[in-house]
Amino acid sequence: MVEEALPMELDNQVVPDALPFARSYQIEALDKAIRENTIVFLDTGSGKTLIAIMLLRSYAYRLRKPSTSVAVFLVPTVVLVSQQAKALEAHTDLKVGMYYGDMGVDFWDAATWKQQIEKQEVLVMTPQILLDCLRHSFIKLQMIKVLILDECHHTKGRHPYSRIMTEFYHHQLQSGISDLPRIFGMTASPVKSKAGNSELTMSKYIRDLMTLMHSKVYTCTSEAVIREFMPISTPKFKFYEANALGIVFEELAIKLKKLKEQHELFLRSTDFTKSATEYAEKRITKFFCSLMYCLEDLGVWLAFKAAESLSSNETGPLSCGNSANKTVKMFCLATVQELKTYLLSGPQRSISDNMKHDVETGLLTSKVFCLIDTLLEYRDLTDLRCIVFVERVITAIVLPTLLNAVLPKYNSWKTKFVAGNNCGLQSQSKKVHDGIVDDFRKGLVNIIVATSILEEGIDVKSCNLVIRFDPCHNVCSFIQSRGRARMPHSDYILMVKSGDSVTCSRLEKYLSSGDIMRKESLRHSSLPCDPLESDLFHEETYRVESTGAIVNLISSIGLLHLYCSRLPADGYFKPTPRWDKDTGTLYLPKSCPLPAISVQGDRKMLKNIACLEACKQLHKIGALTDKLVPDIVVEEQEVEEFGSEPYDEKQPSYVPRELVNQVLKHGETTYHCYLIELKQNFSYDITVQNIYLATRVELNREIASMQFDMGFDKGSLSVSFIHKGAIHLSPDMVSLCKRFQVTILRILLDHNMDRLQTALEKCCLEDGLEIDYLLLPSMVNEQGPTIDWLTVNSVNSSKIGCQDHTPNIQTKDGLVCRCIIQNSLVCTPHNGYIYITTGMMNLDGTSPLKLKSGEVITYKNYFKKNHGTQLYFEHQRLLKAKRIFQVKNYCHGPKQEKDREASKTFVELPPELCCVIMSPISDITIYSFSFIPSIMHRLESLLVAVNLKMHMGSRWLNEIHALKVLEAITTKRCKETFHYESLETLGDSFLKYAVTQHLFQAYQNHHEGLLTLKRVKIISNAALCKLGCSCGLPLQGFIRNEPFDPNTWIVPGDKSGGLKLKELVSDGTKVYFSGMRNLKRKIIADVVEALIGAFLISGGENAALLFMDWVGIKVCFDIIPYERHFSTCVEKLVHISLLESKLKYSFRDSSLLVEALTHGSYMLPEVPTCYQRLEFLGDSILDYLITVHMYEKYPGMSPGQLTDMRAASVNNDCYAWSAIKAGLHKHILHVSQDLHKHITEALENFYRLSSSSTFGWDIDMETPFPKVLGDIIESLAGAILVDSGYNKEAVWKSIRPLLEPLVTPETFKLHPVAELHILCQRRNYTMNKKLYREDGGDLNCIIKVETDDGVIHQHKYRGPADRKTAQKLVSKEILKSLKQ
């Protein structure tokens, strides 16, 4: 065998890596493949894949990561992807990736493929995938080191193998590029034709294949070389008698033809659209032809099985909702019934009882009988593995039904069929297909009836019988199907009709064709490859220079359809290009920005030329990217990546910088004093007094004039702040003040002396940052309010002497005077309690005490008996005292538990059992300080809000009140009387509107789908969270997301908790945080929206836009003219004056009205665009207007109510109801039969329900209104907005009357699904829900609720409704049952 190097640079560095068990010819082929591009032509089962594996092993060092190079292993069918990938994984250590259509690779973008190339070293895929990747420049040919083409005889014509070589390999080869992949092809037959054994013809085919693949053929000199290593099956002819078409066949043929004509006549007599009628007629004709084929080739019994199978296939989506397709279904069922009348009857008779008689009566053909007879010849074979090859899918489907009925009488053989997943009948998934083949290998399936899908590559070494039920159509099919039988002494049966000399002659030529192909291959291998001369190679191509992506005349149609498939669609139309061959004009969907394209040229290629021109123009305007993929694919990928960006939920919690400072150990410290005025709005036996707040820095003037209420069960406490100037305190005085506030606040919070002692031990002046402010009692003198220094000194009660009395009362601490003990804070060690004393009683230890039991004893005996305490000073008067107050969360409002009336319950205490903690101090002071934690928590929150305002800049100071900012940064989890939900709802609607208007004007060539994705990139939770976290000082630190707990509140000056403040500097601003907390991404996004709402309410739209700009959302409201090209008179299309009267608005540009009423299905050229863009704009403006209306009209609504009422008003059912009520449905421009039908059904429901309500929870409809009806309300709103120069009032004035009556708090009803869910939660009921769809298409919804007393309430819905509607209907019934 003479070899000649190809005219390309040889890779001398590659060293063969042969496996030890490789055969001699495999090693020889490997050596040749390393040196030059090679086509290995060897029989099926000879180990071609192993040669490819060894070639990849030889190149492995060039492929291993981090190399940017890969090898690509192409296989012609999906079935072979996993098989070849498993072989590679078994014999190499390379990383192997598998790729096929069901993985969604058609919609992968460049980034996804880049990830795969960075990850994998060998890519196993079908050729169309690689061709698409090369065309889009996702993968470049230079990146591929080895390109393997399995079953490379397909490399001809327009097959993807051929396109890869012509469009890329040869193009770069002739451009002088030498860095091209090593080509390695594998085939069992380099010729795929019906050419018989003509040496000249075969020689040409082999030469063409070599030229196209730029490769030399390697083969063995004779079949004998292969036979040394592997068995080759013995071909045998099996003849069957030709069937005489009897009376049964003729009768059935006439009846079936009559049925066909009847149903076709019915189709033509209806008002179905032309396209629907034509499609249905094609399906009926196809069905009829299949049955006629089965009748003639298989017999009546199998024709009946075929009719059943085809009929069941008609229960798919096409048969639902389309009357034309239902006619097809009716035809199918009629043929089943007709065929059934000719079948056997009676319980004792089956098809297998007397098959010769069945052949005579036409139930079976002699061909089918021959197959069964042939199989039964192998009945004694213990482990049969047989593949029966058939031509048609329907034959593959029905034959197993007969074989499984007949063969079990003789053995336990099991039969299944394999027909692929694109057969259009009983489509098999890749998983099912692989499962059948795997069961065949294991012996669980003995016979597979298969189409040509199993001819190529399927490797079952235990297969010992192959039967060709239908003859091979080419030599390649013959060789490949013969090669499926791998076992020694296996047979290859060729079934041929007796007397068919043509088929016999052709098959005999196929038998000798192997030697001829080997001879010609060996001859051509000594010759150099010819340069490629092909029309395909020189066809017109559009190339993007920046990326290398290409589109040509052949691929342009597919690319244009791909682009159109990504345009917005609904259930009534799919956007596709329309070709008018008479005028040579290409019409694109209305959502495409291109006008109609007219071209001239070769009539045969005119459509391709027009599509190529469209692709060029789409790329020039950016609708196709530089990778020549629809722009929406890139947008979708960016949105997906945006949402998957990492986010750390651990976020800081800021502390107001006004309350943080460095303690001064030396010199005086200046404090700014604010009088906290407390106004008691409730009745109680103790009043409150004002308290002084002293801070190191002067507070913002807004805080200094702040007033707010703390609500609780008794009423409310009004709190206000008044600036009183500054004081200067020495270190000792600062220390005294801190000891005072730590003592009183720790006692109030803990009621525990041990904890107080720990806090006081650490209450000293230390270096470092700390919470530094003072809380001091006040008193009023002649000059007005001032600090009550006597009470501050109460922490030093032992140092306070009395000038009026001699100490004569014995306490645990010694003698004190009466004025000290009777107004003090004491503890009683015998029970660990802390009390407030308010005076002396006229009782002593000997006084009688009446117990609850009625027994009367002395106080002395009581303490002895109950506490084991002896009173030694029994004649001392007892103290009147009460337990210390409970500190509560007064930020929650009146929801907290009711106060116990502890202050009215006095106890009598012997002074000798008391230790004085603070004295003198009044119960009024202590009671007033019990409110301090809640007051300071609110003040700290307000300061955080003010800090946020200050950080935004001075322009915000007068725009918005701190209380609104506080509301916007407070989550519902805080359980306060306010939270951000209402503001978030408002801000969300304005943000959506503002961004929508900006995008609508800025991107006038973009369709609604693209605009929606661009909007998502700006207003999605992920986007808003990212903006919030990156706007100068990160927003997340300001958010309040924890309910206030007084017990964890930080007492200023108390360091016992180990709090360490941390400093953060951002944009030159210092902030302090006390720790980290979990904060979900959505909360940050919600706060951004709530702040927009807060600025909107306080400062109007300009303030909201300024805040959006600060946070990073750039929108422009400058009005840009809306450019479109209407060439027709709009009055010819719609009744302008009538519509304007309905809308109470006169259009300056009436073409906007036409656009707003044009559905995407209206493909007539006089209207250049449809309503989708205007709907996109109108949806946002109506959402915003309705939300503002409700927020302003019902200010007392809870945040949850606003959200629920908005949902009840802004939905498709409400809008659709309004559209019908106004008669707008009559003016929609569309050509969809289904839409017309559904609008008619909606009208019937409307008149049946005859309700004036537009908020539709109570509309008991099984099928929701067509979305189109709701869309036109939105599109009309958008049209009015544009026409009026973006005047929102004009929109509201026009559209609001259509929506009346709007929902109000009185008429609002919770959605039944939500109401049932809330009811079950509140009452602890158990609810189970089940939704499933039956084969016929009906949806089943079952809801079962079990009450706490075991009663079960259950309701079931079955019908055509969607999931949401079905759940609504069932929930309503369950609620009715529960309320009875």
Side-chain angles (χ1 to χ4, degrees):
M1 187 166 55
V2 181
E3 297 178 358
E4 179 175 333
L6 294 176
M8 60 182 292
E9 184 180 347
L10 295 178
D11 193 341
N12 297 320
Q13 298 177 10
V14 177
V15 178
D17 187 357
L19 290 165
F21 51 83
R23 301 162 187 169
S24 57
Y25 65 84
Q26 290 173 324
I27 295 173
E28 186 179 10
L30 171 63
D31 183 61
K32 184 176 178 67
I34 288 174
R35 288 186 288 108
E36 61 186 8
N37 292 349
T38 302
I39 300 168
V40 171
F41 161 35
L42 295 170
D43 286 343
T44 300
S46 59
K48 297 186 290 294
T49 299
L50 188 66
I51 302 170
I53 288 170
M54 293 190 294
L55 180 63
L56 291 174
R57 287 168 61 94
S58 303
Y59 274 85
Y61 77 101
R62 292 244 178 136
L63 305 174
R64 290 196 178 95
K65 300 307 169 192
S67 170
T68 56
S69 299
V70 293
V72 176
F73 198 128
L74 298 179
V75 293
T77 62
V78 175
V79 180
L80 295 175
V81 173
S82 57
Q83 179 177 298
Q84 299 293 42
K86 288 175 183 175
L88 291 173
E89 289 171 341
H91 296 291
T92 74
D93 61 354
L94 295 169
K95 298 172 182 175
V96 181
M98 296 185 289
Y99 309 92
Y100 45 87
D102 286 350
M103 296 172 64
V105 295
D106 294 342
F107 304 106
W108 285 6
D109 63 357
T112 307
W113 279 111
K114 184 173 182 289
Q115 291 172 359
Q116 293 300 315
I117 290 169
E118 289 172 350
K119 177 182 175 184
Q120 308 294 359
E121 294 160 345
V122 183
L123 314 181
V124 184
M125 61 180 68
T126 49
Q128 188 64 48
I129 296 174
L130 178 62
L131 179 58
D132 290 341
C133 285
L134 291 169
R135 283 172 172 169
H136 293 303
S137 199
F138 297 155
I139 298 175
K140 293 185 181 295
L141 200 63
Q142 291 89 333
M143 298 164 62
I144 303 173
K145 283 297 174 188
V146 181
L147 179 59
I148 298 171
L149 287 73
D150 195 6
E151 311 293 354
C152 66
H153 48 266
H154 291 295
T155 311
K156 56 187 291 188
R158 293 183 177 179
H159 190 277
Y161 279 168
S162 175
R163 303 300 307 187
I164 290 168
M165 297 304 297
T166 53
E167 291 181 22
F168 297 95
Y169 187 91
H170 283 282
H171 176 83
Q172 295 187 20
L173 181 67
Q174 293 196 12
S175 299
I177 297 172
S178 60
D179 189 15
L180 295 172
R182 169 67 71 232
I183 304 296
F184 182 75
M186 301 186 290
T187 183
S189 170
V191 176
K192 186 183 180 183
S193 73
K194 300 179 182 179
N197 62 352
S198 165
E199 290 188 21
L200 182 62
T201 306
M202 287 194 174
S203 176
K204 180 180 183 307
Y205 278 124
I206 292 169
R207 190 69 189 171
D208 289 347
L209 180 65
M210 289 173 58
T211 301
L212 198 50
M213 291 187 62
H214 194 62
S215 304
K216 298 289 190 67
V217 179
Y218 168 84
T219 188
C220 295
T221 53
S222 71
E223 188 179 281
V225 176
I226 302 295
R227 285 186 180 274
E228 291 181 20
F229 300 97
M230 56 168 283
I232 296 178
S233 61
T234 305
K236 296 180 181 179
F237 284 90
K238 192 78 172 180
F239 296 96
Y240 60 89
E241 295 298 325
N243 265 32
L245 300 179
I247 298 174
V248 172
F249 175 84
E250 292 177 1
E251 286 181 356
L252 272 172
I254 293 169
K255 289 181 179 180
L256 293 178
K257 185 177 181 181
K258 187 176 180 181
L259 281 174
K260 174 177 177 285
E261 291 170 349
Q262 288 173 349
H263 285 82
E264 287 174 339
L265 183 62
F266 174 77
L267 282 171
R268 297 186 194 109
S269 66
T270 60
D271 58 352
F272 300 149
T273 61
K274 182 181 177 182
S275 60
T277 301
E278 289 176 352
Y279 181 70
E281 285 182 341
K282 284 180 182 178
R283 291 184 66 81
I284 288 175
T285 300
K286 185 177 180 181
F287 190 105
F288 173 78
C289 292
S290 294
L291 290 184
M292 294 305 296
Y293 167 80
C294 290
L295 269 176
E296 183 177 351
D297 210 51
L298 307 176
V300 176
W301 196 86
L302 286 171
F304 169 72
K305 293 296 180 183
E308 281 188 325
S309 176
L310 292 166
S311 176
S312 65
N313 190 59
E314 289 298 322
T315 60
L318 285 173
S319 66
C320 301
N322 186 312
S323 297
N325 284 314
K326 286 181 180 177
T327 306
V328 179
K329 172 73 172 176
M330 289 165 57
F331 172 71
C332 296
L333 294 174
T335 59
V336 171
Q337 292 304 314
E338 192 64 56
L339 288 163
K340 194 174 184 179
T341 61
Y342 284 81
L343 296 185
L344 307 168
S345 59
Q348 306 300 323
R349 182 77 167 90
S350 69
I351 189 65
S352 60
D353 288 345
N354 188 346
M355 282 188 289
K356 289 186 178 179
H357 180 267
D358 294 337
V359 173
E360 291 171 1
T361 57
L363 291 181
L364 297 176
T365 61
S366 57
K367 182 178 180 181
V368 173
F369 180 78
C370 177
L371 171 65
I372 295 172
D373 192 49
T374 301
L375 285 168
L376 290 178
E377 290 177 9
Y378 295 86
R379 73 182 74 179
D380 297 327
L381 199 60
T382 56
D383 195 15
L384 178 73
R385 300 286 198 290
C386 171
I387 301 176
V388 179
F389 282 107
V390 298
E391 180 182 359
R392 298 200 179 197
V393 172
I394 190 63
T395 309
I397 292 171
V398 298
L399 266 182
T401 62
L402 177 65
L403 298 182
N404 285 325
V406 174
L407 297 180
K409 291 189 175 183
Y410 304 96
N411 45 47
S412 58
W413 291 344
K414 186 175 181 181
T415 307
K416 288 194 174 182
F417 79 90
V418 169
N421 61 353
N422 292 314
C423 62
L425 296 172
Q426 291 185 17
S427 184
Q428 290 176 324
S429 67
K430 180 178 182 298
K431 183 178 179 181
V432 170
H433 178 282
D434 291 347
I436 293 171
V437 173
D438 193 45
D439 287 346
F440 186 63
R441 287 192 179 98
K442 296 174 182 176
L444 301 176
V445 171
N446 304 93
I447 302 170
I448 291 181
V449 182
T451 57
S452 59
I453 190 171
L454 284 193
E455 288 180 356
E456 293 184 329
I458 182 69
D459 184 19
V460 181
K461 293 182 173 59
S462 55
C463 182
N464 47 23
L465 177 63
V466 172
I467 301 176
R468 291 289 328 193
F469 183 75
D470 294 313
C472 309
H473 285 283
N474 56 59
V475 63
C476 183
S477 175
F478 174 85
I479 291 173
Q480 288 184 320
S481 59
R482 179 186 179 185
R484 292 310 110 210
R486 301 289 184 86
M487 287 287 286
H489 313 296
S490 57
D491 289 337
Y492 181 49
I493 307 295
L494 300 165
M495 290 178 55
V496 182
K497 183 166 60 177
S498 295
D500 188 354
S501 58
V502 175
T503 300
C504 285
S505 174
R506 188 172 78 246
L507 293 175
E508 286 171 355
K509 290 177 180 179
Y510 289 165
L511 281 169
S512 61
S513 61
D515 290 334
I516 299 173
M517 288 189 290
R518 266 188 291 274
K519 174 186 172 185
E520 290 303 311
S521 296
L522 290 170
R523 184 171 69 83
H524 284 294
S525 65
S526 63
L527 302 174
C529 285
D530 296 330
L532 180 66
E533 295 293 337
S534 168
D535 293 338
L536 297 178
F537 184 62
H538 298 291
E539 70 185 358
E540 183 182 353
T541 298
Y542 177 72
R543 186 179 303 274
V544 181
E545 294 302 325
S546 61
T547 63
I550 67 165
V551 58
N552 50 42
L553 288 172
I554 300 300
S555 63
S556 61
I557 295 177
L559 179 57
L560 191 60
H561 276 274
L562 173 65
Y563 168 78
C564 291
S565 73
R566 304 313 307 274
L567 295 172
D570 60 23
Y572 304 108
F573 87 106
K574 291 183 179 179
T576 54
R578 183 169 64 87
W579 171 246
D580 187 338
K581 62 182 179 182
D582 295 329
T583 61
T585 304
L586 179 68
Y587 295 98
L588 293 159
K590 295 193 181 301
S591 48
C592 173
L594 294 184
I597 294 174
S598 297
V599 292
Q600 295 179 341
D602 182 358
R603 297 290 298 179
K604 292 181 180 179
M605 296 298 292
L606 211 55
K607 181 178 179 181
N608 301 69
I609 294 169
C611 289
L612 182 59
E613 180 60 29
C615 291
K616 291 178 184 178
Q617 292 186 28
L618 286 170
H619 174 248
K620 287 175 182 175
I621 65 173
L624 289 174
T625 69
D626 285 348
K627 294 284 189 180
L628 293 181
V629 296
D631 46 4
I632 196 169
V633 173
V634 177
E635 294 285 347
E636 286 172 341
Q637 183 62 29
E638 289 178 1
V639 168
E640 185 178 341
E641 290 174 358
F642 210 69
S644 60
E645 285 186 6
Y647 167 74
D648 186 2
E649 289 190 355
K650 293 287 184 184
Q651 297 292 346
S653 179
Y654 295 160
V655 177
R657 60 177 179 265
E658 295 90 340
L659 304 182
V660 177
N661 224 308
Q662 199 92 16
V663 176
L664 300 178
K665 287 186 176 181
H666 308 288
E668 289 187 333
T669 304
T670 300
Y671 283 91
H672 298 269
C673 291
Y674 296 86
L675 183 66
I676 305 176
E677 284 194 326
L678 303 178
K679 181 183 177 183
Q680 195 167 331
N681 303 318
F682 55 90
S683 298
Y684 198 49
D685 62 330
I686 304 175
T687 59
V688 293
Q689 70 176 28
N690 300 334
I691 297 171
Y692 270 99
L693 166 68
T695 59
R696 292 281 297 275
V697 297
E698 192 170 350
L699 301 181
N700 182 276
R701 273 183 284 179
E702 188 175 0
I703 294 292
S705 59
M706 185 72 68
Q707 190 275 328
F708 56 82
D709 287 344
M710 311 295 293
F712 55 106
D713 62 300
K714 292 188 181 71
S716 66
L717 183 73
S718 296
V719 182
S720 57
F721 296 82
I722 302 174
H723 188 215
K724 289 294 184 179
I727 58 172
H728 309 283
L729 301 178
S730 67
D732 289 340
M733 287 299 292
V734 171
S735 180
L736 173 66
C737 293
K738 290 192 174 184
R739 284 180 60 82
F740 167 79
Q741 66 188 20
V742 168
T743 301
I744 190 170
L745 290 169
R746 283 264 63 99
I747 287 293
L748 282 166
L749 291 167
D750 301 330
H751 296 196
N752 186 290
M753 288 301 297
D754 292 336
R755 292 182 189 171
L756 173 61
Q757 191 59 40
T758 303
L760 290 173
E761 287 173 0
K762 297 192 176 183
C763 181
C764 55
L765 303 184
E766 296 178 352
D767 291 333
L769 293 170
E770 66 172 69
I771 305 290
D772 185 16
Y773 61 88
L774 304 176
L775 293 160
L776 304 172
S778 72
M779 60 179 290
V780 179
N781 57 23
E782 295 81 3
Q783 288 78 34
T786 184
I787 296 172
D788 183 357
W789 290 111
L790 180 62
T791 301
V792 172
N793 273 287
S794 64
V795 290
N796 295 324
S797 57
S798 60
K799 298 179 181 179
I800 298 176
C802 180
Q803 299 176 355
D804 301 325
H805 307 94
T806 303
N808 60 356
I809 299 176
Q810 186 65 46
T811 68
K812 277 279 187 184
D813 300 319
L815 291 172
V816 298
C817 71
R818 174 176 177 173
C819 59
I820 296 296
I821 192 65
Q822 68 180 4
N823 289 294
S824 62
L825 192 65
V826 302
C827 71
T828 52
H830 70 277
N831 59 8
Y833 291 161
I834 298 174
Y835 298 92
I836 305 166
T837 65
T838 59
M840 304 295 291
M841 305 187 72
N842 292 321
L843 301 171
D844 60 20
T846 62
S847 299
L849 172 64
K850 187 176 181 179
L851 303 177
K852 289 181 181 180
S853 63
E855 180 186 358
V856 178
I857 61 174
T858 64
Y859 281 94
K860 179 178 180 180
N861 290 336
Y862 169 79
F863 281 98
K864 177 79 173 182
K865 179 179 178 181
N866 288 277
H867 297 284
T869 300
Q870 180 68 44
L871 295 184
Y872 296 102
F873 303 93
E874 59 189 57
H875 296 292
Q876 282 192 143
R877 291 171 62 186
L878 301 180
L879 292 168
K880 184 180 181 181
K882 56 189 171 186
R883 293 278 296 275
I884 192 75
F885 302 100
Q886 294 283 336
V887 175
K888 297 186 176 182
N889 177 4
Y890 295 107
C891 297
H892 282 189
K895 296 179 181 178
Q896 63 210 309
E897 293 180 12
K898 195 169 183 179
D899 272 331
R900 291 177 298 176
E901 298 296 326
S903 63
K904 296 181 180 179
T905 305
F906 290 95
V907 298
E908 302 81 27
L909 291 180
E912 63 183 287
L913 299 182
C914 299
C915 294
V916 179
I917 305 170
M918 301 178 74
S919 182
I921 188 168
S922 68
D923 57 350
I924 292 175
T925 298
I926 297 172
Y927 181 58
S928 300
F929 266 82
S930 70
F931 291 99
I932 279 296
S934 294
I935 293 171
M936 290 307 299
H937 172 72
R938 176 61 53 81
L939 177 64
E940 290 164 11
S941 301
L942 284 165
L943 286 170
V944 167
V946 169
N947 285 180
L948 177 57
K949 278 181 58 180
M950 297 292 290
H951 181 66
M952 294 176 193
S954 59
R955 57 181 171 170
W956 308 109
L957 292 180
N958 299 320
E959 296 284 357
I960 180 171
H961 197 280
L963 281 170
K964 272 296 171 195
V965 176
L966 177 58
E967 181 182 341
I969 62 175
T970 301
T971 70
K972 194 172 183 178
R973 190 166 180 261
C974 292
K975 298 179 181 178
E976 300 211 6
T977 54
F978 55 85
H979 56 81
Y980 65 51
E981 188 173 332
S982 289
L983 291 175
E984 182 255 330
T985 301
L986 187 63
D988 167 69
S989 65
F990 178 74
L991 172 65
K992 178 182 173 183
Y993 161 66
V995 171
T996 299
Q997 179 175 322
H998 167 73
L999 293 173
F1000 180 86
Q1001 294 197 96
Y1003 299 97
Q1004 296 200 13
N1005 278 337
H1006 283 22
H1007 57 75
E1008 178 262 340
L1010 263 177
L1011 293 174
T1012 299
L1013 286 172
K1014 285 188 175 294
R1015 185 172 67 188
V1016 167
K1017 285 164 57 177
I1018 299 173
I1019 71 173
S1020 67
N1021 286 339
L1024 294 177
C1025 176
K1026 185 175 182 179
L1027 290 170
C1029 292
S1030 59
C1031 55
L1033 185 62
L1035 185 63
Q1036 62 269 34
F1038 294 98
I1039 297 172
R1040 300 169 64 250
N1041 190 42
E1042 300 289 337
F1044 174 56
D1045 181 0
N1047 294 314
T1048 60
W1049 178 66
I1050 302 168
V1051 176
D1054 178 11
K1055 302 185 183 67
S1056 60
L1059 174 71
K1060 296 292 183 184
L1061 295 178
K1062 296 181 181 178
E1063 184 177 282
L1064 176 70
V1065 179
S1066 179
D1067 284 353
T1069 303
K1070 285 185 180 180
V1071 293
Y1072 306 95
F1073 62 95
S1074 57
M1076 309 295 282
R1077 70 298 179 45
N1078 286 336
L1079 212 58
K1080 292 191 177 297
R1081 196 195 300 253
K1082 184 179 184 303
I1083 292 175
I1084 299 174
D1086 287 348
V1087 167
V1088 172
E1089 290 176 331
L1091 285 166
I1092 294 172
F1095 278 88
L1096 181 68
I1097 286 298
S1098 300
E1101 290 186 1
N1102 286 335
L1105 290 171
L1106 283 171
F1107 171 77
M1108 287 165 57
D1109 182 75
W1110 176 80
V1111 85
I1113 302 171
K1114 312 294 183 184
V1115 298
C1116 177
F1117 270 16
D1118 294 343
I1119 296 176
I1120 301 171
Y1122 186 39
E1123 301 290 344
R1124 284 124 57 257
H1125 305 284
F1126 266 82
S1127 57
T1128 189
C1129 178
V1130 294
E1131 285 81 3
K1132 294 180 180 179
L1133 299 169
V1134 296
H1135 196 325
I1136 299 295
S1137 59
L1138 176 63
L1139 286 165
E1140 288 182 336
S1141 67
K1142 287 178 180 290
L1143 296 171
K1144 296 181 176 59
Y1145 179 82
S1146 296
F1147 279 86
R1148 288 175 285 187
D1149 180 1
S1150 52
S1151 69
L1152 281 164
L1153 183 56
V1154 175
E1155 181 179 338
L1157 292 167
T1158 303
H1159 183 252
S1161 64
Y1162 193 76
M1163 283 292 286
L1164 301 183
E1166 57 262 27
V1167 184
T1169 186
C1170 62
Y1171 67 58
Q1172 290 170 344
R1173 280 177 51 86
L1174 290 175
E1175 176 218 340
F1176 171 76
L1177 179 64
D1179 165 60
S1180 67
I1181 185 60
L1182 285 181
D1183 187 351
Y1184 173 52
L1185 290 172
I1186 291 172
T1187 304
V1188 170
H1189 164 75
M1190 291 180 172
Y1191 188 91
E1192 293 178 345
K1193 186 168 184 178
Y1194 309 109
M1197 276 196 305
S1198 69
Q1201 277 182 303
L1202 176 63
T1203 304
D1204 291 337
M1205 283 179 60
R1206 174 195 183 192
S1209 302
V1210 182
N1211 62 72
N1212 187 71
D1213 278 352
C1214 296
Y1215 292 165
W1217 191 269
S1218 301
I1220 293 176
K1221 199 166 57 170
L1224 297 174
H1225 60 282
K1226 302 173 185 177
H1227 304 275
I1228 301 173
L1229 300 176
H1230 73 91
V1231 293
S1232 169
Q1233 178 187 341
D1234 284 345
L1235 177 56
H1236 174 75
K1237 175 187 172 185
H1238 291 159
I1239 290 176
T1240 303
E1241 291 173 355
L1243 281 170
E1244 292 171 359
N1245 284 317
F1246 177 84
Y1247 295 129
R1248 176 176 60 84
L1249 295 168
S1250 63
S1251 168
S1252 60
S1253 170
T1254 56
F1255 40 94
W1257 302 156
D1258 283 334
I1259 301 175
D1260 292 322
M1261 291 173 53
E1262 284 194 24
T1263 53
F1265 285 114
K1267 184 177 180 294
V1268 174
L1269 292 174
D1271 289 347
I1272 61 168
I1273 292 290
E1274 294 172 334
S1275 61
L1276 286 168
I1280 294 169
L1281 185 67
V1282 175
D1283 190 73
S1284 64
Y1286 295 89
N1287 183 341
K1288 293 183 288 298
E1289 288 303 317
V1291 177
W1292 189 232
K1293 184 178 178 181
S1294 173
I1295 301 296
R1296 178 178 175 174
L1298 302 180
L1299 303 178
E1300 292 287 2
L1302 291 170
V1303 65
T1304 67
E1306 293 74 32
T1307 60
F1308 168 73
K1309 289 184 179 180
L1310 202 60
H1311 192 287
V1313 174
E1315 184 182 356
L1316 181 60
H1317 182 73
I1318 292 170
L1319 181 68
C1320 291
Q1321 273 193 330
R1322 286 178 179 170
R1323 298 185 182 178
N1324 290 321
Y1325 291 172
T1326 302
M1327 180 170 65
N1328 291 308
K1329 188 185 299 181
K1330 185 177 181 182
L1331 286 102
Y1332 62 93
R1333 194 172 289 280
E1334 294 180 343
D1335 293 339
D1338 279 347
L1339 178 72
N1340 288 264
C1341 176
I1342 304 169
I1343 297 179
K1344 182 171 70 173
V1345 173
E1346 183 175 353
T1347 63
D1348 50 7
D1349 56 0
V1351 178
I1352 294 176
H1353 300 260
Q1354 181 172 316
H1355 191 76
K1356 178 179 179 179
Y1357 166 82
R1358 178 183 176 187
D1362 58 22
R1363 295 171 69 91
K1364 288 182 178 179
T1365 305
Q1367 289 183 75
K1368 181 185 79 172
L1369 295 173
V1370 177
S1371 296
K1372 285 186 72 171
E1373 294 302 319
I1374 295 286
L1375 286 167
K1376 287 179 186 177
S1377 177
L1378 287 168
K1379 291 173 181 177
Q1380 286 177 351

